[in-house]
Structures are given as structure tokens and as C-alpha cells.
Amino acid sequence: LVRGFTGEVGGLLNNMRGYADELMVQIAALHGDPVGARELGDQIRRGDLLLRQLRVLDGDDEAMPELFDLNEVVGTADVLLTPVLRPEIELVLEPGKGELNLYADRSQVEMALACLVSSSVNAMPDGGRIVIRSGAISADLAWFAVEDQGAPIHQDGLPLLFEPFPDPSLLGRRTGLELAACKRVIDELGGQVEVTSGAYRGMSVLVMVPRAR
């Protein structure tokens, strides 16, 4: 059922993407800056992210491992995250120094990062700062972290944080598939996820994953 649904909706999104690209060219020719068409494209990419989350949770997203630099992913994440950000959100990127290689499906790791940031954006309706960091723990482990200034998580909500549709009153507006999909990707990499939340504001998610040997 999920495979059929994502296939149908994916086809619709591809059609919409074609129209949005054509619209962007036409608006640029007439008015110069196709802001509205770009925003439409961002919403289509949000739809792509949602479908990817569904496929991951359904076990229908086959991993295609490759060697890549986690620090480079974090350092250029502003481009990746454009569809999930809002103008009132400040994004701060603090990648570690040097190469930090993983052997994993890069697009899945990028999706996991985008899911964490999307969840943080949902928790900050009035805006705020999101900080993404990365680095090495040891010769065997790498890490990246996402910190926000959103609503705090009730302690009773922490065990439910990675459920697809938990009670939003416990999680500071962090609802939906984002965190569940992120956790599934990290679990399949053999990694771990740790979450801390302040008493009055903010959440920090630390992700630890094996480095390439």
C-alpha cells in the first residue's frame, strides 16, 4: 500500500516540478525574480522529503553506500535545508575540521539531517536559531548534532520521541514522521541517537555513526 501511494504521489510531484521549472523560466523572463516559483519548488522538495520518510519507515528505501565526508555535508547543509527552513530561522553550521569519512548512503544521512532540522523548525513557530555541528569521537565513531531553541520536551515525552505520531502536547510541537524516519536510518547504520531537552527551551539531538574503515 505504501509503495503504491508513494509511487502515485511521487509521479504527481514530478509533474508539478516540471511545471514549476517552466513557470520559473517564464516569470524570470517577465519580471526578473521568480520568488513565487522558487517557493513552489521548495514545497515540492518538502513533499519529496515526506515521501522518502514514508519509504524509509516502510523498509522500501534501499541503501546505496558510498564514501563521503560528513563534515562537508554539514558545511554545505544550507543548500540541502532550504526547503525546510523559514526566513525567521537562523541556521548556524559548525562542521569539524578535516575529512570525516563515512561509508553509507549519503542521501539517507542527508535526509536524516533534514528530518531533524524540519522537526526543530516546527518547534519554533516564532523563529529562532538552529545549530548543526559535526566531528569525530574516536577513530571509529563520528558525530553530528542539531540544537534548537524550540519548546522543551516534557520528560514523559522522551520515550515517545521517535514514534511516528506521538502526542504533540508532550513534544513541543515536534510531531510527524521526521524523527521516526531519522531514527530508522541511524539504526540501520549501526549508530545511536541521544536527545536532551532544557527545562524551559530547546532540544539537542546527538547522532553517533561508525566512521569508514
Side-chain angles (χ1 to χ4, degrees):
L1 179 62
V2 171
R3 180 178 297 182
F5 174 80
T6 56
E8 290 290 334
V9 176
L12 289 173
L13 289 172
N14 283 332
N15 290 336
M16 292 171 64
R17 194 178 351 266
Y19 288 124
D21 290 344
E22 182 178 346
L23 182 63
M24 187 175 297
V25 172
Q26 293 178 359
I27 293 176
L30 292 173
H31 304 291
D33 187 8
V35 175
R38 279 204 306 272
E39 291 178 351
L40 174 60
D42 287 344
Q43 293 304 312
I44 292 170
R45 287 191 289 274
R46 284 184 64 89
D48 289 336
L49 178 63
L50 177 59
L51 289 184
R52 188 79 185 274
Q53 293 166 15
L54 285 170
R55 287 196 296 269
V56 165
L57 291 172
D58 193 51
D60 191 36
D61 193 72
E62 183 179 356
M64 301 182 65
E66 61 180 304
L67 192 68
F68 66 93
D69 181 3
L70 178 61
N71 286 336
E72 188 267 333
V73 169
V74 170
T76 59
D78 53 334
V79 178
L80 166 73
L81 298 172
T82 298
V84 303
L85 294 174
R86 301 194 310 269
E88 62 271 22
I89 301 293
E90 178 188 3
L91 179 67
V92 179
L93 304 176
E94 298 182 357
K97 296 181 179 179
E99 289 190 353
L100 187 59
N101 288 329
L102 305 183
Y103 184 70
D105 187 318
R106 175 173 178 148
S107 67
Q108 287 188 351
V109 174
E110 290 175 339
M111 187 209 70
L113 179 60
C115 287
L116 291 177
V117 172
S118 178
S119 175
S120 292
V121 170
N122 290 340
M124 298 190 295
D126 299 321
R129 172 184 288 195
I130 297 174
V131 181
I132 306 175
R133 299 184 174 93
S134 62
I137 296 175
S138 67
D140 298 320
L141 279 178
W143 64 272
F144 65 90
V146 176
E147 302 171 6
D148 66 47
Q149 297 176 327
I153 300 172
H154 193 282
Q155 290 300 308
D156 292 341
L158 285 175
L160 307 174
L161 192 60
F162 297 107
E163 297 294 326
F165 295 104
D167 182 349
S169 67
L170 298 176
L171 302 182
R173 300 174 64 97
R174 296 172 175 86
T175 60
L177 301 176
E178 290 99 340
L179 294 176
C182 172
K183 183 69 161 54
R184 176 69 64 86
V185 167
I186 301 307
D187 285 348
E188 292 181 356
L189 286 176
Q192 297 181 349
V193 181
E194 294 183 359
V195 180
T196 56
S197 180
Y200 301 103
R201 187 176 71 167
M203 180 180 80
S204 176
V205 180
L206 172 65
V207 177
M208 295 168 284
V209 290
R211 298 176 64 173
R213 295 184 181 276

